Amino acid sequence: SAPTPSRRRPLPRCPSQSGSLESLSGVLVEEARVLVINTGGTIGMVYRDNVLAPQATNNSFAEALKKISIFHDEVYAQQTKLYDRQDISENTLVLPLSKKNIRIVYTILEYSPLLDSSNMTTDDWAKIVKDIQKFYELYHGFVILHGTDTMAYTASALSFMCEHLGKTIILTGSQVPIYEIQNDGRDNLLGALLIAGQFVIPEVCLYFHYKLYRGNRVTKVDAESFNAFTSPNLPPLAKAEVDITINWEAVWRANTTKKFLVHVNLNRNVGLLRIFPGITAATVKAFLQPPMEGIVLETYGTGNAPDNRLDLLEELKNATERGVFIINCTQCLKGSISESYATGKALSQAGVIPGFDMTPEAALAKLSYILGKSELDSQEKKKMLSENLRGEMKATYTGSKISLGDSKFIQAVAQCLNISCKEDLEVIRDTLTPVLACAAAKTGDSIALEAIREMGCNLCSEDYDGRTPLHIAACEDNLTVVEYLLNNGATVYAKDRYGSTPLLNAVKFRNFKVIHLLRQTGAHLSKEELGDIGTKLSGLAASGDVEGLKAWILAGVSMEELSYDRKTPLQVAEATGNIAVVEFLKQTDQKKGFEELKP
Ligand code: ASN
């Protein structure tokens, strides 16, 4: 049976993915919440009968971390009364202050039993994504502790199972238990926490040996080295060296106005078949028998299989005609399927779908995910299999990449400044484009935004005040631009230097349609933004401001919030005789509020 979380106090329910606290020195400290899901793996294993196995005692991992100063600052916890806070559950720890002046407060949700990842199945993947969904709004990011043996499979599967993901999910683990004197677990866990707590990278990632990778691009290549994983066809998304540097150009850009959801129904009738010289048609035939519904065919080089073996090709063709999906992936560690040889062409004629530069792990997970979508017909499934859904492959034979050299604007600026080297051009681009994008968002110039995007620029990059184009468009009530940005890389979780999200901006300017679209995309207000919300609501109620209240309700705020003198907005409206507010609040069903008030 699927493991269940063991915890004494339930995890928090109120929205509190981040907040700010006045530290004792009077300096404002930002806190970010991270949920760590411990599924098992070597990182927390101990020796029993001379072999490594997961620990049997509950929560011992959290207890052990509490004693390591880089993983927990007990002084801060005591000073800020961390354990007394309503929304903090047991097994919550806090890191020392980060270089970016952020306190990462993390809660460990430990599964029971803890598993060696070799024992994991698709049920365990479903459990993880369901937990992420359950706690999605409460945390800034998620870290999943996992064994290394099947981590590449889990990372690939989770990347597909998490649809419309807007937050950072990072899998990590280690080759040596964290309790050993020389181990890689501490650095891996610390790096993953720092990235998950401080950046919005809307992907399922894998962090190992100072590098963050896209989860569906990695494969385990070393059973003994600390440098156990590689991502052969995509550079790392980030490196943790003196500083953490994010390669924003490689980061997958959010492209949706839909809310995060998880798909847990995976098809198990899938498999991996590696061809080898002399493989018999009988082996292939046996492997493709029902109930098999989809296989990843691991071929030679750029996707080649013998084209002089008609018996083999016949078996593959029979299977695809029966409706079995076959994806072609290379046995080589690096490179892509291409139709450069007759031996490769024969396979596509047999109905085999090119998997381009996908890893076999990613291809298997993608098959299992798509074939689990029973609402799709086979044409739709085939179409999805050929598309790049989560950055798992570069779906093209020719490979066209926008380069800096293509950007006329940047070139013109560079010429004026007499610059020609790539690094200098990149500096100019990274400095200018966030400001230009914000200016275009202000004037509602979608054409300029598209041109900026085509230069290869990230539309979620921040200006000098931490403001993103989405913040600006949310203030301007420009629904078209908001929608464009959400579909082209903007994140609803961006915070400016004052801690405000685009949603708070839209509430402030009472831009109802924008609020609605942002909420639909999964936006929610942080604890910091909701600071003295009860008092704010009472102020609106006292001044008869129905529109103001409506904006907060649309943004998901409860009308049960109490003011400093412990009154609800309704009580204040009644006491001050604001009939319109009283009627509005009585008529509005808070639970249905979002739908009812839809502009
Ligand atoms: N067997 C372990 C696992 O996958 C290997 C590890 O974590 N390094 O759980």
Side-chain angles (χ1 to χ4, degrees):
S1 69
T4 48
S6 64
R7 50 179 190 268
R8 279 159 281 168
R9 206 190 308 166
L11 287 163
R13 247 171 239 106
C14 64
S16 55
Q17 44 136 357
S18 67
S20 65
L21 283 177
E22 203 79 32
S23 82
L24 290 192
S25 58
V27 181
L28 204 64
V29 175
E30 194 184 332
E31 280 186 358
R33 294 280 179 85
V34 174
L35 180 66
V36 177
I37 300 178
N38 183 10
T39 70
T42 298
I43 191 163
M45 285 189 190
V46 287
Y47 278 96
R48 254 190 284 135
D49 303 328
N50 279 334
V51 291
L52 281 169
Q55 297 218 57
T57 32
N58 283 347
N59 303 317
S60 42
F61 192 70
E63 293 307 319
L65 289 186
K66 250 191 185 156
K67 296 188 191 112
I68 308 174
S69 60
I70 52 161
F71 282 110
H72 182 61
D73 184 345
E74 183 61 26
V75 174
Y76 178 84
Q78 294 296 343
Q79 283 178 345
T80 58
K81 299 194 170 50
L82 185 74
Y83 310 119
D84 298 341
R85 292 195 224 155
Q86 270 301 303
D87 55 348
I88 293 277
S89 65
E90 223 139 341
N91 295 323
T92 295
L93 288 80
V94 56
L95 288 187
L97 195 63
S98 80
K99 258 186 164 178
K100 281 166 74 104
N101 268 339
I102 295 178
R103 281 285 178 177
I104 295 170
V105 176
Y106 61 107
T107 300
I108 301 176
L109 172 60
E110 187 167 294
Y111 284 0
S112 176
L114 291 167
L115 293 177
D116 184 304
S117 74
S118 309
N119 288 327
M120 289 180 93
T121 69
T122 50
D123 289 342
D124 299 304
W125 301 342
K127 171 156 183 51
I128 298 170
V129 296
K130 279 191 209 153
D131 275 335
I132 292 175
Q133 182 174 43
K134 187 166 161 197
F135 300 117
Y136 190 72
E137 293 217 342
L138 305 180
Y139 295 93
H140 183 90
F142 300 83
V143 170
I144 298 161
L145 295 178
H146 194 289
T148 56
D149 287 344
T150 64
M151 202 190 290
Y153 289 92
T154 304
S156 295
L158 264 48
S159 78
F160 295 108
M161 295 165 89
C162 292
E163 300 181 347
H164 316 295
L165 180 61
K167 297 193 176 186
T168 318
I169 299 177
I170 304 178
L171 284 98
T172 195
S174 71
Q175 295 280 61
V176 173
I178 207 162
Y179 312 110
E180 300 282 313
I181 183 155
Q182 196 196 355
N183 72 83
D184 53 335
R186 294 184 190 190
D187 282 352
N188 287 346
L189 175 55
L190 195 61
L193 283 169
L194 287 170
I195 297 175
Q198 302 185 102
F199 301 92
V200 181
I201 299 174
E203 297 205 31
V204 174
C205 316
L206 187 151
Y207 181 82
F208 223 85
H209 200 56
Y210 312 111
K211 291 199 184 92
L212 184 80
Y213 304 101
R214 176 167 301 151
N216 55 35
R217 290 293 197 148
V218 288
T219 189
K220 185 173 175 182
V221 286
D222 201 321
E224 289 163 356
S225 163
F226 286 167
N227 198 4
F229 289 90
T230 191
S231 166
N233 292 317
L234 190 83
L237 303 179
K239 285 188 188 159
E241 292 166 328
V242 173
D243 289 309
I244 295 172
T245 1
I246 311 288
N247 177 8
W248 287 111
E249 273 188 43
V251 170
W252 183 251
R253 296 170 194 179
N255 58 358
T256 183
T257 50
K258 297 204 180 96
K259 207 170 186 147
F260 172 68
L261 59 105
V262 298
H263 175 93
V264 290
N265 183 28
L266 296 181
N267 189 318
R268 288 163 181 246
N269 298 322
V270 292
L272 290 157
L273 179 63
R274 183 176 170 106
I275 63 157
F276 51 88
I279 187 172
T280 66
T283 301
V284 174
K285 184 175 181 178
F287 196 76
L288 287 165
Q289 284 310 300
M292 195 60 92
E293 292 177 60
I295 67 156
V296 178
L297 189 68
E298 293 184 59
T299 58
Y300 311 128
T302 53
N304 306 313
D307 65 345
N308 59 357
R309 290 280 310 280
L310 295 184
D311 57 341
L312 265 188
L313 291 169
E314 194 59 27
E315 289 308 336
L316 294 172
K317 192 154 179 271
N318 284 344
T320 58
E321 282 174 0
R322 271 201 323 270
V324 177
F325 293 89
I326 305 182
I327 302 189
N328 188 3
C329 283
T330 176
Q331 294 179 7
C332 297
L333 182 60
K334 191 171 186 305
S336 177
I337 300 301
S338 71
E339 283 200 337
S340 40
Y341 292 91
T343 40
K345 199 145 194 150
L347 282 180
S348 45
Q349 280 160 355
V352 174
I353 304 162
F356 297 102
D357 60 352
M358 251 190 302
T359 61
E361 291 95 327
L364 186 76
K366 188 172 180 178
L367 261 178
S368 181
Y369 163 73
I370 293 173
L371 301 190
K373 289 197 172 265
S374 45
E375 70 280 12
L376 301 179
D377 65 29
S378 76
Q379 272 314 310
E380 289 167 325
K381 286 178 185 160
K382 193 164 177 183
K383 184 167 170 283
M384 277 181 90
L385 285 170
S386 315
E387 286 170 356
N388 178 14
L389 301 180
R390 308 274 195 276
E392 72 280 7
M393 65 181 189
K394 192 149 113 217
T396 165
Y397 281 123
T398 47
S400 62
K401 191 176 176 292
I402 300 167
S403 80
L404 270 178
D406 297 335
S407 150
K408 288 200 184 75
F409 170 76
I410 296 292
Q411 277 179 16
V413 175
Q415 262 165 14
C416 296
L417 299 174
N418 237 339
I419 286 167
S420 57
C421 90
K422 184 172 169 278
E423 285 71 24
D424 288 352
L425 278 170
E426 278 173 352
V427 171
I428 298 179
R429 185 196 59 183
D430 294 347
T431 314
L432 287 181
T433 49
V435 181
L436 289 175
C438 284
K442 164 93 184 148
T443 52
D445 189 344
S446 304
I447 296 168
L449 282 171
E450 179 61 14
I452 293 167
R453 193 186 66 81
E454 279 179 0
M455 285 176 198
C457 295
N458 190 348
L459 289 183
C460 70
S461 49
E462 306 168 349
D463 75 0
Y464 35 77
D465 257 349
R467 304 204 28 93
T468 65
L470 189 62
H471 281 99
I472 314 288
C475 291
E476 293 303 319
D477 201 16
N478 195 328
L479 195 66
T480 320
V481 171
V482 169
E483 199 164 355
Y484 170 83
L485 288 167
L486 291 173
N487 281 314
N488 288 284
T491 168
V492 290
Y493 305 110
K495 281 201 230 151
D496 65 17
R497 70 189 299 186
Y498 311 103
S500 304
T501 58
L503 179 59
L504 186 70
N505 288 178
V507 170
K508 181 161 180 141
F509 289 95
R510 299 170 186 197
N511 299 333
F512 296 135
K513 289 193 176 124
V514 173
I515 299 173
H516 189 263
L517 183 57
L518 292 172
R519 287 282 291 157
Q520 181 192 305
T521 312
H524 52 82
L525 296 165
S526 66
K527 191 181 176 191
E528 186 181 16
E529 292 174 305
L530 291 172
D532 52 350
I533 185 67
T535 303
K536 274 194 197 127
L537 296 176
S538 297
L540 294 171
S543 59
D545 192 343
V546 173
E547 293 294 287
L549 289 168
K550 192 170 157 186
W552 286 109
I553 295 178
L554 258 179
V557 170
S558 161
M559 289 298 118
E560 300 300 312
E561 295 281 355
L562 301 179
S563 59
Y564 68 93
D565 53 353
R566 311 201 59 73
K567 292 206 171 65
T568 64
L570 181 60
Q571 287 167 337
V572 173
E574 280 168 346
T576 49
N578 273 303
I579 310 296
V581 174
V582 173
E583 272 173 14
F584 167 74
L585 288 174
K586 283 192 170 159
Q587 275 164 18
T588 310
D589 180 342
Q590 179 72 43
K591 285 198 199 84
K592 291 198 214 128
F594 183 60
E595 279 311 308
E596 266 179 13
L597 293 177
K598 202 154 121 182

Coordinates of all heavy atoms in Angstrom, one line a residue, residues 379-446:
Q379 N -5.4 9.5 -32.5 CA -4.8 10.6 -33.2 C -4.2 11.7 -32.3 O -3.1 12.2 -32.4 CB -5.8 11.3 -34.2 CG -5.8 10.6 -35.6 CD -4.5 10.3 -36.1 OE1 -3.6 11.1 -36.2 NE2 -4.2 9.0 -36.5
E380 N -5.1 12.0 -31.3 CA -4.7 13.1 -30.3 C -3.5 12.6 -29.5 O -2.6 13.4 -29.2 CB -5.9 13.4 -29.4 CG -7.0 14.2 -30.1 CD -8.3 14.2 -29.3 OE1 -8.6 13.2 -28.6 OE2 -9.0 15.2 -29.4
K381 N -3.5 11.3 -29.1 CA -2.4 10.8 -28.4 C -1.1 10.9 -29.2 O 0.0 11.3 -28.7 CB -2.6 9.3 -28.0 CG -3.7 9.2 -26.9 CD -3.9 7.7 -26.5 CE -5.1 7.7 -25.5 NZ -5.7 6.4 -25.5
K382 N -1.2 10.5 -30.5 CA 0.0 10.5 -31.3 C 0.5 11.9 -31.5 O 1.7 12.2 -31.4 CB -0.4 9.9 -32.7 CG 0.8 9.6 -33.5 CD 0.5 8.7 -34.7 CE 1.8 8.5 -35.5 NZ 1.7 7.8 -36.7
K383 N -0.4 12.9 -31.6 CA 0.0 14.3 -31.7 C 0.7 14.7 -30.5 O 1.8 15.3 -30.6 CB -1.3 15.1 -32.0 CG -1.0 16.6 -32.2 CD -2.3 17.3 -32.7 CE -2.1 18.8 -32.8 NZ -2.1 19.4 -31.5
M384 N 0.2 14.4 -29.3 CA 0.9 14.8 -28.1 C 2.2 14.2 -27.9 O 3.2 14.8 -27.4 CB 0.0 14.4 -26.9 CG -1.1 15.5 -26.6 SD -2.0 15.0 -25.1 CE -1.1 15.7 -23.8
L385 N 2.3 12.9 -28.4 CA 3.6 12.2 -28.3 C 4.7 12.9 -29.1 O 5.9 12.9 -28.8 CB 3.5 10.7 -28.7 CG 2.8 9.8 -27.7 CD1 2.5 8.5 -28.3 CD2 3.7 9.7 -26.4
S386 N 4.2 13.5 -30.2 CA 5.2 14.2 -31.1 C 5.5 15.6 -30.7 O 6.4 16.2 -31.2 CB 4.6 14.2 -32.6 OG 4.0 13.0 -32.9
E387 N 4.8 16.1 -29.7 CA 5.0 17.5 -29.3 C 5.9 17.6 -28.1 O 6.0 16.6 -27.3 CB 3.7 18.1 -29.0 CG 2.8 18.5 -30.2 CD 1.4 18.9 -29.8 OE1 1.0 18.9 -28.6 OE2 0.6 19.3 -30.7
N388 N 6.5 18.7 -28.0 CA 7.4 19.0 -26.8 C 6.4 19.5 -25.7 O 6.0 20.7 -25.8 CB 8.4 20.0 -27.2 CG 9.3 20.4 -26.0 OD1 9.3 19.8 -25.0 ND2 10.0 21.5 -26.2
L389 N 6.1 18.7 -24.7 CA 5.1 19.1 -23.7 C 5.7 19.9 -22.5 O 5.1 20.8 -22.0 CB 4.4 17.9 -23.2 CG 3.6 17.0 -24.2 CD1 3.0 15.9 -23.5 CD2 2.6 17.8 -25.0
R390 N 6.9 19.4 -22.0 CA 7.5 20.0 -20.8 C 8.9 20.2 -21.0 O 9.7 20.2 -20.0 CB 7.3 19.0 -19.6 CG 5.9 18.5 -19.4 CD 5.1 19.4 -18.5 NE 3.9 18.7 -18.0 CZ 2.8 18.6 -18.7 NH1 2.7 19.1 -19.9 NH2 1.8 18.0 -18.2
G391 N 9.3 20.5 -22.2 CA 10.8 20.7 -22.4 C 11.6 19.4 -22.4 O 12.8 19.4 -22.3
E392 N 10.9 18.3 -22.6 CA 11.6 17.0 -22.6 C 12.4 16.7 -23.8 O 13.2 15.8 -23.9 CB 10.5 15.9 -22.3 CG 9.6 15.5 -23.5 CD 8.4 16.5 -23.6 OE1 8.4 17.5 -22.9 OE2 7.5 16.2 -24.4
M393 N 12.1 17.5 -24.9 CA 12.8 17.2 -26.2 C 12.8 18.4 -27.1 O 12.0 19.3 -26.9 CB 12.2 16.0 -26.9 CG 10.8 16.3 -27.4 SD 10.2 14.8 -28.3 CE 8.7 15.4 -29.0
K394 N 13.8 18.4 -28.0 CA 13.8 19.4 -29.0 C 13.2 18.8 -30.2 O 13.8 17.9 -30.9 CB 15.2 19.9 -29.3 CG 15.3 21.1 -30.1 CD 16.5 21.9 -29.8 CE 17.4 21.9 -31.0 NZ 18.8 21.9 -30.8
A395 N 11.9 19.1 -30.5 CA 11.1 18.4 -31.5 C 11.3 18.9 -32.9 O 10.4 19.5 -33.5 CB 9.6 18.4 -31.1
T396 N 12.5 18.8 -33.4 CA 12.8 19.2 -34.8 C 13.9 18.5 -35.3 O 14.9 18.1 -34.6 CB 13.0 20.8 -34.8 OG1 13.6 21.1 -36.1 CG2 14.0 21.2 -33.7
Y397 N 13.9 18.2 -36.7 CA 15.0 17.5 -37.3 C 16.1 18.5 -37.6 O 17.3 18.2 -37.6 CB 14.6 16.9 -38.6 CG 13.8 15.6 -38.4 CD1 12.5 15.4 -38.9 CD2 14.4 14.5 -37.8 CE1 11.9 14.2 -38.8 CE2 13.8 13.3 -37.6 CZ 12.5 13.2 -38.1 OH 11.8 12.0 -38.0
T398 N 15.8 19.8 -37.9 CA 16.8 20.7 -38.3 C 17.4 21.5 -37.1 O 18.6 21.7 -37.2 CB 16.2 21.7 -39.3 OG1 15.0 22.2 -38.7 CG2 15.9 21.1 -40.6
G399 N 16.6 21.8 -36.2 CA 17.2 22.5 -35.0 C 17.4 24.0 -35.3 O 18.5 24.4 -35.6
S400 N 16.4 24.8 -35.1 CA 16.6 26.3 -35.3 C 16.6 26.9 -33.9 O 15.7 26.6 -33.1 CB 15.5 26.9 -36.1 OG 14.3 26.7 -35.5
K401 N 17.5 27.8 -33.6 CA 17.6 28.4 -32.3 C 17.7 29.9 -32.5 O 18.6 30.3 -33.3 CB 18.8 27.8 -31.5 CG 18.8 28.2 -30.1 CD 19.9 27.5 -29.3 CE 20.0 28.0 -27.9 NZ 20.3 29.4 -27.7
I402 N 16.9 30.6 -31.8 CA 17.1 32.1 -31.9 C 18.4 32.4 -31.2 O 18.7 32.0 -30.1 CB 15.9 32.8 -31.1 CG1 14.6 32.4 -31.7 CG2 16.1 34.3 -31.2 CD1 13.4 32.8 -30.9
S403 N 19.2 33.2 -31.9 CA 20.5 33.6 -31.3 C 20.5 35.1 -31.1 O 19.7 35.8 -31.7 CB 21.7 33.1 -32.1 OG 21.8 34.0 -33.2
L404 N 21.4 35.5 -30.3 CA 21.5 36.9 -30.0 C 21.8 37.7 -31.3 O 21.3 38.8 -31.5 CB 22.7 37.2 -29.1 CG 22.4 37.2 -27.6 CD1 23.7 37.4 -26.9 CD2 21.4 38.3 -27.3
G405 N 22.5 37.0 -32.2 CA 22.8 37.7 -33.5 C 21.6 38.0 -34.3 O 21.6 38.8 -35.2
D406 N 20.5 37.3 -34.0 CA 19.2 37.5 -34.8 C 18.6 38.8 -34.4 O 17.7 39.3 -35.1 CB 18.2 36.4 -34.6 CG 18.7 35.1 -35.0 OD1 19.6 35.1 -35.9 OD2 18.3 34.1 -34.5
S407 N 18.9 39.3 -33.3 CA 18.2 40.5 -32.8 C 18.7 41.8 -33.3 O 19.8 42.2 -33.0 CB 18.3 40.5 -31.2 OG 18.2 41.8 -30.8
K408 N 17.9 42.4 -34.2 CA 18.4 43.6 -34.9 C 18.6 44.7 -33.8 O 19.5 45.5 -33.9 CB 17.3 44.0 -35.9 CG 17.3 43.1 -37.1 CD 16.7 43.9 -38.3 CE 16.6 43.0 -39.5 NZ 15.5 42.0 -39.4
F409 N 17.6 44.8 -32.9 CA 17.6 45.8 -31.9 C 18.9 45.8 -31.1 O 19.7 46.8 -31.0 CB 16.4 45.7 -31.0 CG 16.5 46.7 -29.8 CD1 16.3 48.0 -30.0 CD2 16.9 46.2 -28.6 CE1 16.4 48.9 -28.9 CE2 17.0 47.0 -27.5 CZ 16.7 48.4 -27.6
I410 N 19.2 44.6 -30.6 CA 20.4 44.5 -29.7 C 21.7 44.8 -30.6 O 22.6 45.4 -30.1 CB 20.5 43.1 -29.1 CG1 19.3 42.8 -28.2 CG2 21.8 42.8 -28.4 CD1 19.3 43.7 -26.9
Q411 N 21.6 44.3 -31.8 CA 22.8 44.6 -32.7 C 23.0 46.1 -32.9 O 24.1 46.6 -32.9 CB 22.6 43.9 -34.0 CG 23.0 42.5 -34.0 CD 22.8 41.8 -35.4 OE1 22.6 42.5 -36.4 NE2 22.7 40.5 -35.4
A412 N 21.9 46.8 -33.1 CA 22.0 48.2 -33.3 C 22.6 48.9 -32.1 O 23.5 49.7 -32.2 CB 20.6 48.8 -33.6
V413 N 22.1 48.5 -30.9 CA 22.6 49.1 -29.7 C 24.1 48.8 -29.5 O 24.9 49.6 -29.2 CB 21.9 48.6 -28.4 CG1 22.5 49.1 -27.1 CG2 20.4 49.0 -28.5
A414 N 24.4 47.5 -29.8 CA 25.8 47.1 -29.7 C 26.7 47.9 -30.6 O 27.9 48.3 -30.3 CB 25.9 45.6 -30.0
Q415 N 26.2 48.1 -31.9 CA 27.0 48.9 -32.8 C 27.3 50.3 -32.3 O 28.5 50.8 -32.4 CB 26.3 49.0 -34.2 CG 26.8 47.9 -35.1 CD 25.9 47.8 -36.3 OE1 25.0 48.6 -36.5 NE2 26.1 46.7 -37.0
C416 N 26.3 50.9 -31.7 CA 26.5 52.3 -31.2 C 27.5 52.3 -30.1 O 28.3 53.2 -30.0 CB 25.2 52.8 -30.5 SG 23.9 53.0 -31.7
L417 N 27.5 51.2 -29.3 CA 28.5 51.1 -28.2 C 29.8 50.5 -28.6 O 30.6 50.3 -27.8 CB 27.8 50.4 -27.0 CG 26.5 51.0 -26.5 CD1 25.9 50.0 -25.4 CD2 26.8 52.3 -25.8
N418 N 29.8 50.1 -29.9 CA 31.1 49.4 -30.3 C 31.4 48.1 -29.6 O 32.5 47.9 -29.2 CB 32.2 50.4 -30.1 CG 32.9 50.6 -31.4 OD1 32.8 49.8 -32.4 ND2 33.6 51.7 -31.5
I419 N 30.4 47.3 -29.5 CA 30.5 46.0 -28.8 C 30.3 44.9 -29.8 O 29.4 44.9 -30.6 CB 29.5 45.9 -27.7 CG1 30.0 46.8 -26.5 CG2 29.4 44.5 -27.1 CD1 29.0 47.1 -25.5
S420 N 31.1 43.9 -29.7 CA 30.8 42.7 -30.6 C 30.9 41.4 -29.9 O 30.5 40.4 -30.5 CB 31.8 42.8 -31.8 OG 33.1 42.8 -31.3
C421 N 31.5 41.3 -28.7 CA 31.6 40.0 -28.1 C 30.3 39.6 -27.5 O 29.5 40.4 -27.0 CB 32.8 39.9 -27.2 SG 32.4 40.3 -25.5
K422 N 30.0 38.3 -27.5 CA 28.8 37.7 -27.1 C 28.4 38.0 -25.7 O 27.3 38.4 -25.4 CB 28.9 36.1 -27.3 CG 27.6 35.4 -27.0 CD 27.8 33.9 -27.4 CE 26.7 33.1 -26.9 NZ 26.8 32.7 -25.5
E423 N 29.4 37.9 -24.8 CA 29.1 38.2 -23.4 C 28.6 39.6 -23.2 O 27.7 39.9 -22.4 CB 30.4 37.9 -22.5 CG 30.7 36.5 -22.3 CD 31.3 35.8 -23.6 OE1 31.8 36.5 -24.5 OE2 31.1 34.6 -23.8
D424 N 29.3 40.6 -23.8 CA 28.9 42.0 -23.7 C 27.5 42.2 -24.2 O 26.7 42.9 -23.7 CB 29.9 42.9 -24.4 CG 31.2 43.0 -23.6 OD1 31.2 42.4 -22.5 OD2 32.2 43.6 -24.1
L425 N 27.2 41.6 -25.3 CA 25.9 41.7 -25.9 C 24.8 41.1 -24.9 O 23.7 41.7 -24.8 CB 25.8 40.8 -27.2 CG 26.3 41.5 -28.5 CD1 26.4 40.5 -29.6 CD2 25.4 42.6 -28.9
E426 N 25.2 40.0 -24.3 CA 24.2 39.5 -23.3 C 24.0 40.4 -22.2 O 22.8 40.5 -21.7 CB 24.8 38.1 -22.8 CG 24.4 37.0 -23.8 CD 25.1 35.7 -23.4 OE1 25.9 35.6 -22.5 OE2 24.8 34.7 -24.1
V427 N 25.0 41.1 -21.7 CA 24.8 42.0 -20.6 C 23.9 43.1 -21.0 O 23.0 43.5 -20.3 CB 26.2 42.6 -20.2 CG1 26.0 43.7 -19.2 CG2 27.1 41.5 -19.6
I428 N 24.1 43.7 -22.2 CA 23.2 44.7 -22.7 C 21.7 44.2 -22.8 O 20.8 44.9 -22.3 CB 23.6 45.2 -24.1 CG1 25.0 45.7 -24.2 CG2 22.6 46.2 -24.7 CD1 25.4 46.2 -25.5
R429 N 21.6 43.0 -23.4 CA 20.3 42.5 -23.5 C 19.6 42.3 -22.1 O 18.5 42.7 -21.9 CB 20.3 41.2 -24.2 CG 18.9 40.6 -24.5 CD 19.0 39.2 -24.8 NE 19.6 38.4 -23.7 CZ 19.8 37.1 -23.8 NH1 19.5 36.4 -24.8 NH2 20.3 36.5 -22.8
D430 N 20.3 41.7 -21.2 CA 19.7 41.4 -19.9 C 19.4 42.7 -19.1 O 18.6 42.7 -18.2 CB 20.7 40.5 -19.1 CG 20.7 39.1 -19.7 OD1 19.9 38.9 -20.6 OD2 21.6 38.3 -19.4
T431 N 20.2 43.8 -19.4 CA 19.9 45.0 -18.7 C 18.7 45.8 -19.3 O 17.9 46.3 -18.6 CB 21.2 46.0 -18.8 OG1 22.3 45.2 -18.5 CG2 21.1 47.1 -17.8
L432 N 18.7 45.8 -20.6 CA 17.7 46.6 -21.3 C 16.3 46.0 -21.4 O 15.3 46.6 -21.2 CB 18.1 46.9 -22.7 CG 19.2 48.0 -22.8 CD1 19.5 48.2 -24.3 CD2 18.8 49.3 -22.2
T433 N 16.3 44.7 -21.7 CA 15.0 44.1 -22.0 C 14.0 44.1 -20.9 O 12.8 44.3 -21.2 CB 15.2 42.7 -22.7 OG1 16.0 42.0 -21.8 CG2 15.7 42.8 -24.1
P434 N 14.4 43.8 -19.6 CA 13.3 43.9 -18.6 C 12.6 45.2 -18.5 O 11.4 45.3 -18.4 CB 14.1 43.6 -17.3 CG 15.3 42.9 -17.7 CD 15.7 43.4 -19.0
V435 N 13.4 46.3 -18.7 CA 12.9 47.6 -18.6 C 12.0 47.9 -19.8 O 10.9 48.4 -19.7 CB 14.0 48.7 -18.6 CG1 13.5 50.1 -18.5 CG2 14.9 48.3 -17.4
L436 N 12.5 47.4 -21.0 CA 11.7 47.6 -22.2 C 10.4 46.8 -22.2 O 9.3 47.3 -22.6 CB 12.5 47.2 -23.4 CG 13.7 48.0 -23.9 CD1 14.4 47.4 -25.0 CD2 13.2 49.4 -24.3
A437 N 10.5 45.6 -21.6 CA 9.3 44.8 -21.5 C 8.2 45.4 -20.6 O 7.0 45.4 -20.9 CB 9.6 43.4 -21.1
C438 N 8.7 46.0 -19.5 CA 7.8 46.7 -18.6 C 7.2 47.9 -19.2 O 6.0 48.2 -19.1 CB 8.5 47.1 -17.3 SG 8.9 45.7 -16.2
A439 N 8.0 48.6 -20.0 CA 7.4 49.8 -20.7 C 6.4 49.4 -21.7 O 5.3 50.0 -21.9 CB 8.6 50.5 -21.4
A440 N 6.6 48.3 -22.4 CA 5.7 47.8 -23.4 C 4.4 47.3 -22.7 O 3.3 47.5 -23.2 CB 6.3 46.6 -24.2
A441 N 4.5 46.7 -21.5 CA 3.4 46.3 -20.8 C 2.5 47.5 -20.3 O 1.3 47.5 -20.3 CB 3.8 45.4 -19.6
K442 N 3.2 48.6 -20.0 CA 2.6 49.8 -19.5 C 1.7 50.4 -20.7 O 0.5 50.8 -20.4 CB 3.6 50.8 -19.1 CG 3.2 52.2 -18.9 CD 2.7 52.5 -17.5 CE 2.2 53.9 -17.4 NZ 1.2 54.0 -16.4
T443 N 2.3 50.4 -21.9 CA 1.5 51.0 -23.0 C 0.6 50.0 -23.7 O -0.1 50.3 -24.6 CB 2.5 51.6 -24.0 OG1 3.4 50.6 -24.4 CG2 3.2 52.8 -23.5
G444 N 0.7 48.7 -23.2 CA -0.2 47.7 -23.8 C 0.3 47.3 -25.2 O -0.5 46.9 -26.0
D445 N 1.6 47.4 -25.4 CA 2.1 47.1 -26.8 C 2.5 45.7 -26.9 O 3.6 45.3 -26.7 CB 3.3 48.1 -27.0 CG 3.8 48.0 -28.4 OD1 3.4 47.1 -29.2 OD2 4.5 48.9 -28.8
S446 N 1.5 44.8 -27.4 CA 1.8 43.4 -27.5 C 2.8 43.1 -28.6 O 3.6 42.1 -28.4 CB 0.5 42.6 -27.8 OG -0.5 42.9 -26.9

